[in-house]
Every structure is written in C-alpha cells, then in structure tokens.
Amino acid sequence: LTGIKGVRVIPSQANYVMVEMNCDAKELTKVLLTKYNLLIKELIEKTGGKNYLRLAIRNSEDNDRLIVALRHELHSI
C-alpha cells in the first residue's frame, strides 16, 4: 500500500489498516464495491471529515485484488 501514490498508511497493530486517501474516500468506497466487489469502510465522519478508509483483508487473493483496484482507480482520478 505504501507504494501506491495517493495512499498514506497509518501505523496500526490491529487486524486492519487505516489509510488516508488524497481523493474522495466516500466515492472511492462506492467504486470499490460496485466495480470490484470490495467492501471497504470509510471513516470520514469518525475522523472529522478526513478521507480515511479502514481496510480489512481476509487473504492474499483479496489483498492483491485491492491493490490492483486502488492502483487503477487512483491512476484514473
């Protein structure tokens, strides 16, 4: 994730990763669900309007799908 332009990973010791996006996190969440069937939690209201997402990936296949989707969508923005 740290190699994807537009994504800032927040250090965590939980079983999920929180990232700050340089785009509209709410819109990106919708695109990831409808286009890639990836369910991502946006945290805009919980972070005072910041474009944060919470990512929880089950396995390496889902992880790979998420990385491909983020690279493609962030490149399109």
Side-chain angles (χ1 to χ4, degrees):
L1 290 172
T2 58
I4 301 174
K5 187 175 181 165
V7 177
R8 183 175 72 92
V9 178
I10 310 300
S12 172
Q13 296 197 13
N15 62 345
Y16 63 88
V17 177
M18 191 165 97
V19 296
E20 182 177 20
M21 307 302 298
N22 72 346
C23 64
D24 183 339
K26 193 171 280 199
E27 184 61 32
L28 180 61
T29 300
K30 289 178 191 175
V31 169
L32 292 175
L33 177 59
T34 57
K35 195 171 179 179
Y36 300 95
N37 199 30
L38 293 168
L39 182 59
I40 304 298
K41 176 73 175 166
E42 57 90 0
L43 303 171
I44 295 170
E45 291 182 25
K46 293 182 179 188
T47 59
K50 295 180 181 176
N51 283 306
Y52 283 96
L53 298 175
R54 184 182 74 191
L55 310 175
I57 303 301
R58 296 179 298 194
N59 55 44
S60 60
E61 181 181 310
D62 285 349
N63 186 55
D64 293 343
R65 287 180 47 229
L66 174 64
I67 290 171
V68 167
L70 284 174
R71 282 192 172 131
H72 183 263
E73 293 306 319
L74 294 175
H75 184 264
S76 300
I77 294 175

